[in-house]
Amino acid sequence: MTKKKRILSGMRPTGPLHLGNLHGALANWVEMQKTYDCFFFIADWHALTSDYESTGRIAEYVRNMIVDWLSAGLSPEKSTLFVQSHIKEHAELFLILSMITPVPWLERNPTYKDQITQLSNKDLSTFGFLGYPVLQAADIIMYKAYGVPVGVDQVPHVEITREIARRFNYFYGDIFPEPESILTDTSKILGLDRRKMSKSYNNAIFLSDSPDEITAKVAKMLTDIQRARRSDPGNPDVCNVFEFHKLYSDGQAIERINQECRSAEIGCVECKQIMAQNLIKALEPLREKREYYEAHPALVDDIIADGCEKARRVAHQTMAEVRAAIKI
Ligand code: TRP
Ligand code: SF4
């Protein structure tokens, strides 16, 4: 048997995961467990870069994120699941890489500029925020990952990682492979208001929502805005509820709604109820697993501790090589 290639990816613990995260990243990760040696971690130090003023909920988000991951099908038997701040080697490698990273590489990073303008309510003119990609580079090359599954927005960070790895190897000898971005499809699912699904837009359905919460949220969803009255025919092609049907309902139901919406035989209220039921059913296995892990907190502790132990062994080895290479 040939050895599986290693991939690594991380998420910042900024709150509960929603359907956009599931269809965007998480479902992909679950699939990748079949083919790759997977390292998935929670980037809690990265959460500090923008949320350094209020750190009170980060630990809670870390915990919930692990439970979200497990309930969505990430498996501690197949993957190494760990928490960044538990592996202190990330900080050491970050420090060393920061010594060799030219500041202009960081200043021209497109996500840096974007975020500074987008999150104008926060003061992001910090050293740590500018150095975000250096910490991310440390995360990635620590495990000598061959590939990094990410969305398009993260590709510049993987590019900087490659440049930093190359520069390190040039100065100190060949230690780090240059990782590839493995592009994960960005989720096509939109939020309740048809903007991108996001916690901060208040338009998300969370994996941890109860059936009642899901029903209530679906009832509020925007439909075909041209369809003002029940007797007006609608157009599923421009309706977000119909997009959800395509994901969660069976072919027959989709076909029926497609016709009956256009002829005004079905109303939006009923159409949404059907969709909500199917969505609730689709999330049922996740809900069951979540309940199990929530009832067994010690098991979650063990899963985190075991994953961190596995990650730490690799990090320990890498840092021994790094220290030998830089002779410090
Ligand atoms: N920057 C990533 C994000 O915001 C999170 C992250 C941190 C990451 N370190 C990483 C992703 C290493 C992939 C690999 O989504
Ligand atoms: Fe959308 Fe369904 Fe209403 Fe048609 S009936 S507009 S598909 S919610």
Side-chain angles (χ1 to χ4, degrees):
M1 210 179 86
T2 49
K3 220 164 139 246
K4 285 182 176 170
K5 288 189 185 175
R6 180 169 296 162
I7 59 158
L8 169 138
S9 197
M11 284 186 197
R12 284 183 310 137
T14 50
L17 294 182
H18 52 64
L19 294 178
N21 302 124
L22 178 65
H23 296 292
L26 204 47
N28 256 300
W29 290 9
V30 171
E31 256 323 284
M32 291 178 120
Q33 294 185 117
K34 295 184 189 145
T35 5
Y36 295 103
D37 171 23
C38 297
F39 279 59
F40 297 124
F41 75 101
I42 299 183
D44 52 350
W45 278 335
H46 273 99
L48 282 179
T49 53
S50 53
D51 296 338
Y52 57 86
E53 278 186 65
S54 50
T55 57
R57 300 191 69 184
I58 294 179
E60 169 199 334
Y61 290 155
V62 168
R63 178 87 190 182
N64 290 343
M65 186 166 270
I66 286 277
V67 174
D68 274 334
W69 284 7
L70 294 168
S71 56
L74 289 188
S75 146
E77 274 97 54
K78 296 184 193 149
S79 299
T80 303
L81 309 176
F82 67 101
V83 180
Q84 182 185 37
S85 68
H86 293 12
I87 318 293
K88 307 300 178 196
E89 284 83 351
H90 286 236
E92 185 183 357
L93 187 54
F94 166 61
L95 179 141
I96 293 167
L97 297 181
S98 74
M99 300 298 168
I100 66 167
T101 305
V103 172
W105 290 6
L106 303 173
E107 285 171 337
R108 64 167 189 246
N109 164 26
T111 29
Y112 178 67
K113 297 185 206 155
D114 281 4
Q115 298 262 43
I116 292 230
T117 31
Q118 267 175 34
L119 305 175
S120 53
N121 56 331
K122 294 182 180 166
D123 179 4
L124 296 180
S125 56
T126 60
F127 179 54
F129 190 69
L130 179 65
Y132 187 110
V134 185
L135 181 56
Q136 183 159 350
D139 300 336
I140 298 170
I141 66 179
M142 180 74 83
Y143 302 93
K144 302 189 178 178
Y146 133 83
V148 188
V150 283
V152 267
D153 60 312
Q154 291 294 314
V155 171
H157 290 162
V158 180
E159 272 314 306
I160 296 179
T161 301
R162 294 169 64 89
E163 288 170 4
I164 294 176
R166 202 176 309 145
R167 195 163 158 91
F168 183 99
N169 291 344
Y170 173 74
F171 289 140
Y172 311 115
D174 242 330
I175 293 196
F176 296 116
E178 287 177 32
E180 320 260 342
S181 294
I182 304 175
L183 264 194
T184 51
D185 293 343
T186 33
S187 169
K188 282 174 232 44
I189 207 165
L190 294 175
L192 305 174
D193 56 1
R194 303 177 61 175
R195 289 189 291 171
K196 180 180 154 86
M197 192 178 280
S198 160
K199 188 175 51 90
S200 45
Y201 291 160
N202 218 344
N203 66 358
I205 296 177
F206 298 108
L207 307 188
S208 49
D209 279 346
S210 68
D212 286 349
E213 284 167 320
I214 294 176
T215 310
K217 285 182 176 179
V218 169
K220 283 194 313 203
M221 279 177 79
L222 283 183
T223 61
D224 169 7
I225 39 173
Q226 304 291 336
R227 190 176 187 194
R229 281 176 298 260
R230 168 68 183 80
S231 53
D232 294 341
N235 180 3
D237 299 336
V238 297
C239 177
N240 193 24
V241 176
F242 193 62
E243 291 303 312
F244 277 63
H245 271 296
K246 288 188 202 159
L247 279 169
Y248 301 111
S249 302
D250 65 38
Q252 224 179 342
I254 297 170
E255 200 30 56
R256 179 168 81 89
I257 287 157
N258 191 16
Q259 286 172 13
E260 294 186 358
C261 169
R262 291 175 205 277
S263 57
E265 281 166 272
I266 189 170
C268 295
V269 173
E270 187 194 343
C271 178
K272 285 174 165 181
Q273 279 163 354
I274 299 170
M275 194 279 277
Q277 282 313 312
N278 292 338
L279 171 56
I280 289 167
K281 201 154 27 122
L283 292 179
E284 187 60 38
L286 281 79
R287 204 170 307 114
E288 277 171 15
K289 280 197 246 172
R290 169 183 310 280
E291 280 167 14
Y292 176 77
Y293 286 112
E294 279 173 353
H296 297 85
L299 176 61
V300 178
D301 293 340
D302 286 349
I303 289 173
I304 297 174
D306 288 353
C308 288
E309 191 47 46
K310 280 201 273 172
R312 199 174 290 116
R313 277 202 293 272
V314 180
H316 191 84
Q317 167 67 31
T318 302
M319 288 316 295
E321 292 171 38
V322 167
R323 291 179 209 121
I326 63 172
K327 304 186 174 64
I328 291 182

